[in-house]
Amino acid sequence: MRLSKIIAFAAVAALPVTAARADEGMWTIDGFPAAKMQADYGWAPDQAWLDKVRAAAVRLTGGCSASFVSGSGLILTNHHCVAGCLQDVSTAKLDYVDNGFTAAARADEKLCPGQQAEVVTAISDVTGDVKGAIGGAVGLAAVKAKTAAIARIESAGCPDTKITRCQVVTLYGGGQYKLYTYHKYSDVRIVWAPEAKAPQFGGDPDNFNFPRYSLDASFLRAYENGQPVATPQHLTWAARPPVVGEATFVVGNPGSTQRLLTQDQLAFQKEVVAPINVTAFSELRGRLISAMQQSPAKARQGKEELDSVENSLKVYIGRVKAFNDPAFMGRLARAEAELRAKSQGNAAIGDPWSDISKATAAYRQLYLASRFTQPQGDLYSYAARLVRAAAERTKPNGERLPGYSDSALPLVEKQVLDPKPITPWLDQLELEWSLSKAREYLGADDNDTKLLLGKESPEALAHRLVSTTRLGDAAYRKALWTGGQAAIDASKDPMILYARRLDARYRQLQDQVDEYYSGPVTAAQAKLADARFAAYGDTLYPDATFTLRISYGKVAGWTERGQAVPPVTLLGGTYDRATGADPFDLPSKFVTAHSRIDPNTVYDFVTTNDIIGGNSGSPVIDKSGAVIGAAFDGNIHSLAGNYGYDGSNNRTVVVSADAIEEALEKIYPAPALVAELKGQ
Amino acid sequence: MRLSKIIAFAAVAALPVTAARADEGMWTIDGFPAAKMQADYGWAPDQAWLDKVRAAAVRLTGGCSASFVSGSGLILTNHHCVAGCLQDVSTAKLDYVDNGFTAAARADEKLCPGQQAEVVTAISDVTGDVKGAIGGAVGLAAVKAKTAAIARIESAGCPDTKITRCQVVTLYGGGQYKLYTYHKYSDVRIVWAPEAKAPQFGGDPDNFNFPRYSLDASFLRAYENGQPVATPQHLTWAARPPVVGEATFVVGNPGSTQRLLTQDQLAFQKEVVAPINVTAFSELRGRLISAMQQSPAKARQGKEELDSVENSLKVYIGRVKAFNDPAFMGRLARAEAELRAKSQGNAAIGDPWSDISKATAAYRQLYLASRFTQPQGDLYSYAARLVRAAAERTKPNGERLPGYSDSALPLVEKQVLDPKPITPWLDQLELEWSLSKAREYLGADDNDTKLLLGKESPEALAHRLVSTTRLGDAAYRKALWTGGQAAIDASKDPMILYARRLDARYRQLQDQVDEYYSGPVTAAQAKLADARFAAYGDTLYPDATFTLRISYGKVAGWTERGQAVPPVTLLGGTYDRATGADPFDLPSKFVTAHSRIDPNTVYDFVTTNDIIGGNSGSPVIDKSGAVIGAAFDGNIHSLAGNYGYDGSNNRTVVVSADAIEEALEKIYPAPALVAELKGQ
């Protein structure tokens, strides 16, 4: 449930479908539907409760969620959210992925490259300002006006970008704009992680499934000025079993949903985007599997990427299944028909569906070029960002590409400059794969294919670029960043030259997409938001935007083909499920700790909370505001969650605080950590 | 356009859609629509013409088509139809795939393992006999009665199975049964093949595309009693350029079409089968690509399999595209609605659509188990056939599984016993892949998954079986075949033990599929055939069944997004298209022959003929009955050909006899072969 770079392909914001059903909704923290929950559950949190969890909720810029769980900056999240960090800090001799990691003392906690933790400190409505700036502009001009306004608002909101970050968030697809102010912690260190086999027990076969036996938990710590930060606002740690039926809250950052795409947009997703995703990522999966079988080192080096690809692929396969489910698709079609009918004759609404239909038709012509002229791999990504940042930094703040404004640049800089090990074979595999897919989908004779490949093959080009670039060296990246446009112009680095070769086309395509799709669609979606508020009142939640949300629900199993699926698993069940064969082999420390642990500890459990990728690591909070677990997955029915929520079977999968504490006490002993969690 | 084992997954026979459009149709040779062609073209072949081409048309049991082109058993087919043979006869020192093969003398022509050539000698109608045997039986009983009748008819028709083969073919999905008698040639040898880079110029990017520059041609020779067979009925070789607009005939063995699946069957294909095909085979493709990059030897060993997988995958992707094309699917829906309307009130027809709907719903419950309990790979396939053949041979002919009757056994025996090199890493890769997909789609807790894996992982199990089985040794296979059930029972070979472990479940699933799907659907399809004949008269062609068919059409380009695609390419164009980078690098002998060849020779061309996988290698014949090329592919629009034909853009891609002769004279000199083709 991490928001990965792969999932981000599909990120087009839209709106919810009809009035939210029971337990449906990823609500903004300043728009919590207290009356609705009160009606459903006979209880709802008050403002003090909401303020407290907001202050303890953490966004990890790597694409996950988390929470403060001690007064000294200790952060609870998922193991799969720190797997990349564990790999980055491992050495040839010390593999923290396989063996787990426990910092013996604070001094042993290790920096996670590129990772940043962020806490919302304020939210203010800037809708009038942004909409006013757009005024009557349309297409590309509207997008440019909006981008400029956002850059200005963000800059004004956060003059000190060292410890604050400002972000204007587009809600309801353009119906509302809010300025989120964050306190940011750019020094985040790994504190504890179990052996990978404990969170990954069951591997891909069990991913998105339940019953589940996974210790998908880990701890980080936020530092400032070299010291752990004081976090008195942290959540209370509640190592207790969940009670079936009790209310649960998931507070985190769901990445992206598309719950009110129009029928035309859905058809585009179904007919064009989804088949490419499934096909291309299945092939990447296969390429990774075979490459990793070549040596234990490659198996280790590729593991995190393979896990991420398999996770995304399962989401894509689930979406195709949803698209092929006439009942599911029928519901979406009826929702649109209903909203159209209710909006009939409302002149202020007009016909945004037609506008989106035209824009989507235009986007169909741009999609392949726009998708496939962006090669994959860390090294290319460094090059592209260095090239773009150098050019953008010469422009006034309001005229830059989104993502390169003064408020956004510090994170780009950190991500590009943080030292991080590069695995050349893996980078080459991804670059080669993406170039070969580009040729396949664009066609061998297409001009963009020629731009991408020249007279080289994907294989030869990827090999040449990866084997000769110096961008794996953080010092070289730093020199290019600091040297700005002059350094980029002077660089003969092959990857930099390659990124420069593609840059003009990238910008041209972005402009075309803005002119013919994003501009018109943002305007039309603002109308749709109005239509929806008019038809269904104001108890609506916006689509997910990787910003802070709260969902409420309860601990509950569900019924699968007539069979009741119990809501909890027990730690002892792991030993029954183990076959000895990967990925169902026991972690070695589970074997040695077998006699010590309490087999009846609740291990994982499910709740009805409505979540999606990006929510990984979110604290699962009880009515008292204490954390009883960390959300790490959804069940198989949650895979359609991008487009809709069905409370009868859509479930969040959680690792219990109780099991985490049992593990910290008896399997991966970390007494200081336990004491810290208990506030001792 | 080879009928591969992969395509065979989708083989469910059905019926054509409405009265055939111009140039649509893969007609039986005894049902050629002469009047229709006469009306369309002002000319049609007479019976003598049809008899002549029938006698020269060759089916290759490897899944291709071909034709006799000299009086001494010389056979023209595609290079991609003999790529497996070239690989099998190559040695560590002599790679006939990379370098091509030219037999200096007849004594140097090499046997292709497992290959058999077959020529239709008679066709007779046995509909009454088969339908009579089925009588009032339903479900499994009907299938058993049909199977028994077919075994009896085939046995009686071909008492000498050494040189004849009898096959009862189900046409119109059960509307008609015909007995095809073949003369068979089980000693087929490779005569000539170009370097693989010549037929494969453009590789996967150009596959199913046009303009095209491919020398996808090769020659085999049929032997009997160690001597080339006399084939006075051969086609005349016409090394001349095609004339735009001239009538062309493709005579070959299209493998399978499904042009009148009901809407329920189409929904099943679209919602269940197609997504699995695309996903699973994309992953296999990726696994192969990475594995082959490990060494030049692996690149060579895996090439044919990768080509085959990529070819099938492109077909599957094309089908998904067709399913996602509302216009295409709407046409199929309207055709069904029209037939239903025309059949309204015809009591003899009843409601076969409902019967198929129910049967398809039942098949949905059986499909995953039935598909995934059949692991992939040559070694497992040997084991499964040895185990099944041993058991079946103890039964009376009429009670055996289809495929193990007296008439079918000789080919099974040949395919199992012919010595053929095994590539263990490749076999292991495929077995592992298929087992891991089984676990993915069936689920880790499914009983069939447990049957397949026990407590082993797909990786460990595949490795254990492939590394310890002796089935790669043809002598051991022979001993097991000859030893029959006793030898199988006594064998401790791990792959044999594994095949035995799965055998009962295989039989159980086959019975269930027969009872709930094949039985009812065959009966319903016979009714649909009646409905169609009643509604549209008797000018109908049956769906493809990998039996002899003739299609007529003409040499013609088409219009692609407003641009005219010319109908021919020239040999000299290869040099312009070459980039130097794989797969657009010139074959080495093309480079050295550059100054010698005539650049204006027509290389490849397109025709409107309606063909599909299995037609690869089919002779393209002119009005005079001479062969002017070999069909080797379809264009991108032909990918929907499984479900429908659109003459406006659906094209057959042909390598010209003229270019083949130019190559034989100047690029890969084979003067004796040229003389033989010219009848000198």
Side-chain angles (χ1 to χ4, degrees):
Chain A
M1 287 250 124
R2 179 178 41 173
L3 171 72
S4 78
K5 60 185 171 186
I6 295 161
I7 297 287
F9 268 127
V12 177
L15 305 165
V17 56
T18 54
R21 301 161 170 218
D23 298 358
E24 174 178 347
M26 304 172 190
W27 305 89
T28 54
I29 196 88
D30 56 337
F32 185 79
K36 185 172 182 304
M37 182 174 180
Q38 179 75 44
D40 294 346
Y41 283 76
W43 184 89
D46 59 17
Q47 195 56 44
W49 191 103
L50 291 166
D51 289 345
K52 185 172 182 305
V53 302
R54 190 198 69 189
V58 171
R59 177 167 78 169
L60 296 174
T61 52
C64 279
S65 299
S67 58
F68 285 122
V69 288
S70 88
S72 308
L74 188 68
I75 293 171
L76 167 70
T77 188
N78 293 148
H79 178 275
H80 77 263
C81 296
V82 305
C85 170
L86 291 167
Q87 199 156 315
D88 291 342
V89 300
S90 289
T91 62
K93 288 188 181 162
L94 273 173
D95 180 351
Y96 297 124
V97 179
D98 269 11
N99 301 311
F101 177 86
T102 305
R106 297 228 168 137
D108 298 320
E109 295 172 0
K110 289 178 192 293
L111 182 88
C112 286
Q115 190 61 280
Q116 181 167 297
E118 301 173 339
V119 175
V120 174
T121 53
I123 300 174
S124 60
D125 194 318
V126 294
T127 308
D129 196 348
V130 177
K131 285 195 172 174
I134 297 173
V138 295
L140 178 57
V143 175
K144 280 187 186 293
K146 176 180 133 181
T147 304
I150 287 174
R152 170 175 50 76
I153 295 166
E154 289 176 350
S155 232
C158 291
D160 177 3
T161 59
K162 284 221 167 50
I163 56 162
T164 60
R165 178 180 177 190
C166 275
Q167 195 176 25
V168 171
V169 182
T170 303
L171 298 171
Y172 304 102
Q176 224 175 55
Y177 296 88
K178 296 237 174 154
L179 173 64
Y180 280 57
T181 308
Y182 294 89
H183 189 107
K184 75 178 195 187
Y185 303 94
S186 50
D187 178 349
V188 176
R189 306 187 191 176
I190 180 78
V191 174
W192 177 87
E195 309 162 272
K197 281 205 174 292
Q200 292 171 359
F201 183 80
D204 180 67
D206 273 4
N207 193 16
F208 289 109
N209 281 312
F210 195 83
R212 191 73 164 276
Y213 301 85
S214 165
L215 189 64
D216 200 346
S218 188
F219 292 96
L220 298 166
R221 191 184 306 279
Y223 280 73
E224 250 174 1
N225 305 315
Q227 295 300 319
V229 298
T231 44
Q233 78 276 30
H234 70 90
L235 299 176
T236 304
W237 179 253
R240 65 161 178 86
V243 178
V244 176
E246 75 166 306
T248 50
F249 300 85
V250 172
V251 179
N253 300 271
S256 158
T257 52
Q258 306 178 277
R259 291 192 180 170
L260 198 63
L261 293 189
T262 67
Q263 291 293 299
D264 287 294
Q265 288 172 309
L266 276 173
F268 170 65
Q269 291 290 321
K270 174 187 176 180
E271 293 161 14
V272 180
V273 180
I276 296 177
N277 281 339
V278 166
T279 308
F281 285 97
S282 291
E283 183 187 319
L284 177 58
R285 179 192 201 180
R287 287 183 182 233
L288 285 165
I289 287 171
S290 274
M292 288 164 61
Q293 287 178 338
Q294 290 172 38
S295 72
K298 286 191 170 177
R300 197 170 54 242
Q301 290 158 348
K303 175 131 188 42
E304 207 237 333
E305 182 62 16
L306 177 62
D307 289 345
S308 162
V309 167
E310 287 185 333
N311 185 67
S312 298
L313 186 58
K314 216 157 194 172
V315 174
Y316 297 141
I317 291 171
R319 288 183 188 171
V320 167
K321 219 168 165 182
F323 286 139
N324 280 321
D325 176 352
F328 184 86
M329 295 300 280
R331 204 181 99 205
L332 299 184
R334 283 193 301 279
E336 175 166 321
E338 184 183 294
L339 185 59
R340 277 177 185 251
K342 283 178 188 276
S343 309
Q344 195 77 28
N346 183 340
I349 305 298
D351 185 3
W353 295 275
S354 279
D355 297 339
I356 290 179
S357 179
K358 269 177 247 153
T360 304
Y363 190 43
R364 281 183 185 244
Q365 302 304 314
L366 294 166
Y367 179 71
L368 291 181
S370 154
R371 172 171 183 155
F372 285 109
T373 50
Q374 299 182 51
Q376 301 294 305
D378 287 343
L379 292 167
Y380 177 77
S381 170
Y382 282 144
R385 284 180 290 175
L386 284 165
V387 166
R388 266 167 228 156
E392 296 305 304
R393 281 149 67 209
T394 66
K395 300 177 186 170
N397 187 33
E399 293 174 19
R400 298 183 199 157
L401 288 174
Y404 293 88
S405 62
D406 284 339
S407 49
L409 265 177
L411 183 57
V412 176
E413 181 176 0
K414 176 177 170 58
Q415 286 170 340
V416 171
L417 301 192
D418 271 9
K420 185 173 126 70
I422 287 288
T423 310
W425 70 264
L426 192 55
D427 228 72
Q428 186 179 322
L429 185 152
E430 299 219 330
L431 183 55
E432 179 186 317
W433 161 77
S434 66
L435 292 171
S436 110
K437 292 306 95 187
R439 184 178 62 190
E440 177 170 332
Y441 283 96
L442 296 171
D445 297 312
D446 182 84
N447 282 332
D448 283 318
T449 302
K450 289 175 182 164
L451 176 69
L452 284 165
L453 296 180
K455 296 223 157 198
E456 293 179 283
S457 68
E459 298 75 23
L461 177 58
H463 179 260
R464 178 174 69 78
L465 293 175
V466 170
S467 63
T468 56
T469 182
R470 291 172 54 201
L471 291 178
D473 172 5
Y476 185 62
R477 298 198 297 272
K478 172 111 184 159
L480 286 172
W481 182 279
T482 313
Q485 191 63 51
I488 295 294
D489 288 344
S491 173
K492 295 278 177 284
D493 187 273
M495 196 67 89
I496 292 288
L497 294 175
Y498 187 62
R500 288 177 65 193
R501 172 164 129 195
L502 305 185
D503 191 57
R505 179 64 175 148
Y506 169 83
R507 289 167 185 275
Q508 182 188 43
L509 283 164
Q510 284 291 110
D511 281 355
Q512 289 177 356
V513 169
D514 285 348
E515 172 74 12
Y516 299 109
Y517 187 73
S518 307
V521 164
T522 302
Q525 287 181 159
K527 295 279 185 201
L528 281 175
D530 294 345
R532 222 164 125 45
F533 284 119
Y536 301 109
D538 63 355
T539 306
L540 298 173
Y541 64 96
D543 258 305
T545 48
F546 197 46
T547 51
L548 191 61
R549 300 296 174 89
I550 177 166
S551 99
Y552 66 88
K554 58 176 177 291
V555 177
W558 77 97
T559 303
E560 187 75 43
R561 282 172 285 185
Q563 294 280 103
V565 180
V568 304
T569 61
L570 303 180
L571 202 47
T574 315
Y575 298 89
D576 303 327
R577 188 164 174 74
T579 62
D582 179 56
F584 294 98
D585 46 339
L586 288 171
S588 64
K589 286 178 184 142
F590 267 61
V591 176
T592 52
H594 194 168
S595 62
R596 288 196 300 277
I597 62 156
D598 175 358
N600 293 318
T601 309
V602 167
Y603 198 176
D604 297 339
F605 62 97
V606 284
T607 72
T608 61
N609 294 82
D610 185 7
I611 68 170
I612 206 154
N615 262 121
S616 276
S618 295
V620 177
I621 300 173
D622 66 9
K623 284 161 73 171
S624 80
V627 58
I628 61 169
F632 70 94
D633 204 0
N635 70 348
I636 203 79
H637 303 290
S638 75
L639 291 174
N642 193 46
Y643 305 108
Y645 169 88
D646 180 354
S648 71
N649 58 20
N650 197 325
R651 292 292 177 274
T652 289
V653 185
V654 187
V655 53
S656 80
D658 210 8
I660 296 170
E661 189 168 303
E662 184 76 0
L664 290 173
E665 284 180 331
K666 301 183 185 160
I667 308 176
Y668 306 98
L673 188 52
V674 174
E676 184 176 354
L677 286 166
K678 292 185 168 173
Q680 294 161 348
Chain B
M1 287 249 123
R2 180 180 40 174
L3 172 72
S4 76
K5 61 182 172 188
I6 293 160
I7 297 287
F9 268 128
V12 176
L15 304 166
V17 57
T18 53
R21 302 161 170 218
D23 298 359
E24 175 178 346
M26 305 171 189
W27 306 90
T28 54
I29 197 86
D30 57 337
F32 186 79
K36 186 172 182 304
M37 183 177 180
Q38 180 73 44
D40 293 346
Y41 282 77
W43 182 89
D46 60 15
Q47 194 56 44
W49 191 103
L50 291 166
D51 289 345
K52 187 173 180 307
V53 303
R54 190 198 69 187
V58 172
R59 177 168 77 171
L60 295 174
T61 51
C64 279
S65 298
S67 58
F68 285 122
V69 288
S70 89
S72 307
L74 189 68
I75 293 171
L76 168 69
T77 188
N78 293 147
H79 179 275
H80 77 263
C81 296
V82 306
C85 170
L86 290 167
Q87 197 156 314
D88 290 343
V89 300
S90 289
T91 62
K93 286 186 182 163
L94 275 171
D95 180 351
Y96 297 123
V97 180
D98 268 11
N99 301 311
F101 177 86
T102 304
R106 297 231 168 136
D108 299 320
E109 296 173 358
K110 289 179 191 294
L111 181 89
C112 287
Q115 190 62 279
Q116 180 166 296
E118 301 174 339
V119 176
V120 174
T121 53
I123 299 174
S124 60
D125 195 322
V126 294
T127 308
D129 196 347
V130 176
K131 284 194 171 174
I134 297 173
V138 295
L140 178 58
V143 175
K144 281 187 186 292
K146 177 180 133 180
T147 304
I150 287 174
R152 170 174 50 75
I153 295 165
E154 288 177 350
S155 232
C158 292
D160 178 3
T161 58
K162 282 222 167 51
I163 57 162
T164 59
R165 176 179 178 191
C166 275
Q167 194 176 26
V168 171
V169 181
T170 303
L171 298 172
Y172 304 102
Q176 226 176 53
Y177 295 89
K178 295 237 174 155
L179 174 64
Y180 279 57
T181 309
Y182 295 89
H183 189 107
K184 74 176 195 189
Y185 305 93
S186 50
D187 178 350
V188 177
R189 306 188 190 175
I190 180 79
V191 174
W192 176 87
E195 313 163 89
K197 281 205 174 292
Q200 292 173 358
F201 183 81
D204 180 68
D206 273 5
N207 192 18
F208 289 109
N209 282 310
F210 196 83
R212 191 71 165 277
Y213 302 84
S214 164
L215 189 63
D216 199 346
S218 190
F219 291 96
L220 298 166
R221 193 183 304 282
Y223 281 73
E224 249 174 1
N225 306 316
Q227 295 301 318
V229 298
T231 44
Q233 77 278 29
H234 71 88
L235 299 176
T236 303
W237 179 253
R240 65 162 178 87
V243 179
V244 174
E246 74 167 307
T248 50
F249 301 84
V250 173
V251 180
N253 301 271
S256 157
T257 53
Q258 306 178 276
R259 291 191 181 172
L260 198 61
L261 292 189
T262 67
Q263 291 293 298
D264 287 296
Q265 287 172 310
L266 276 173
F268 170 65
Q269 292 290 322
K270 174 186 175 182
E271 295 161 12
V272 179
V273 180
I276 296 177
N277 282 339
V278 166
T279 308
F281 285 98
S282 290
E283 184 187 319
L284 177 58
R285 178 192 201 181
R287 286 183 183 234
L288 285 166
I289 287 172
S290 274
M292 288 164 61
Q293 287 179 338
Q294 290 172 39
S295 74
K298 286 192 170 177
R300 198 169 54 241
Q301 290 158 349
K303 174 130 189 43
E304 207 238 334
E305 181 63 16
L306 177 62
D307 289 345
S308 161
V309 167
E310 288 185 335
N311 186 67
S312 299
L313 186 58
K314 218 158 191 171
V315 174
Y316 297 140
I317 291 171
R319 289 184 187 170
V320 168
K321 220 169 164 179
F323 286 140
N324 279 322
D325 176 353
F328 184 87
M329 295 301 280
R331 206 183 98 204
L332 299 184
R334 283 192 303 278
E336 174 166 321
E338 185 184 292
L339 185 60
R340 277 177 184 250
K342 283 179 188 276
S343 308
Q344 196 76 29
N346 184 338
I349 305 297
D351 186 4
W353 294 275
S354 279
D355 297 341
I356 290 180
S357 178
K358 269 178 246 150
T360 305
Y363 191 42
R364 281 182 184 244
Q365 302 305 313
L366 294 167
Y367 178 72
L368 290 181
S370 154
R371 171 170 184 155
F372 285 109
T373 49
Q374 299 181 51
Q376 301 295 303
D378 287 342
L379 293 167
Y380 177 76
S381 171
Y382 283 143
R385 284 179 292 174
L386 284 164
V387 166
R388 267 169 227 154
E392 295 306 302
R393 282 148 68 208
T394 65
K395 301 177 186 169
N397 188 31
E399 294 173 18
R400 299 183 198 157
L401 288 174
Y404 293 89
S405 63
D406 283 339
S407 49
L409 265 176
L411 183 57
V412 176
E413 182 175 1
K414 176 177 170 58
Q415 287 170 339
V416 171
L417 300 192
D418 270 9
K420 185 173 126 66
I422 287 289
T423 310
W425 71 264
L426 192 55
D427 228 73
Q428 186 179 324
L429 186 152
E430 299 219 330
L431 182 55
E432 179 185 318
W433 162 75
S434 65
L435 292 171
S436 111
K437 292 305 96 184
R439 183 179 62 189
E440 179 171 332
Y441 283 96
L442 296 171
D445 297 312
D446 183 83
N447 282 332
D448 283 319
T449 301
K450 289 177 183 161
L451 175 70
L452 284 164
L453 296 180
K455 295 224 159 198
E456 293 181 282
S457 68
E459 299 75 25
L461 176 59
H463 179 261
R464 177 174 69 78
L465 293 176
V466 170
S467 63
T468 55
T469 182
R470 290 172 57 201
L471 291 178
D473 173 4
Y476 184 61
R477 298 199 297 273
K478 172 110 183 157
L480 286 173
W481 183 277
T482 313
Q485 191 63 53
I488 295 294
D489 288 345
S491 173
K492 295 277 178 286
D493 186 274
M495 196 68 89
I496 292 288
L497 294 176
Y498 187 61
R500 289 178 64 193
R501 174 164 127 194
L502 304 185
D503 191 57
R505 179 64 175 149
Y506 169 83
R507 290 168 184 276
Q508 181 188 43
L509 283 164
Q510 283 292 109
D511 281 355
Q512 289 176 355
V513 170
D514 285 348
E515 171 75 12
Y516 299 109
Y517 187 72
S518 307
V521 164
T522 303
Q525 287 182 158
K527 296 279 184 198
L528 282 175
D530 293 344
R532 222 163 125 45
F533 284 119
Y536 301 110
D538 63 355
T539 306
L540 298 172
Y541 64 97
D543 258 303
T545 47
F546 197 47
T547 51
L548 191 61
R549 299 296 173 89
I550 176 167
S551 101
Y552 67 88
K554 58 177 177 290
V555 177
W558 78 97
T559 303
E560 187 75 43
R561 282 173 286 184
Q563 295 279 105
V565 180
V568 305
T569 61
L570 303 179
L571 202 47
T574 315
Y575 299 89
D576 304 328
R577 187 165 176 74
T579 62
D582 178 57
F584 295 97
D585 47 340
L586 288 170
S588 65
K589 287 177 183 143
F590 267 60
V591 176
T592 54
H594 194 171
S595 62
R596 288 196 299 277
I597 63 154
D598 176 358
N600 293 317
T601 310
V602 167
Y603 197 177
D604 297 339
F605 62 97
V606 284
T607 72
T608 61
N609 294 82
D610 185 7
I611 68 170
I612 206 152
N615 263 121
S616 275
S618 295
V620 177
I621 301 172
D622 67 11
K623 283 160 72 171
S624 79
V627 59
I628 61 170
F632 69 93
D633 205 2
N635 71 350
I636 203 80
H637 304 290
S638 75
L639 291 174
N642 192 48
Y643 305 109
Y645 170 88
D646 179 355
S648 71
N649 58 20
N650 197 324
R651 291 294 177 273
T652 289
V653 184
V654 187
V655 55
S656 80
D658 210 8
I660 296 169
E661 189 168 301
E662 184 76 0
L664 290 174
E665 286 180 330
K666 301 182 184 161
I667 308 175
Y668 306 98
L673 189 51
V674 174
E676 183 176 356
L677 286 167
K678 290 184 170 175
Q680 294 161 347

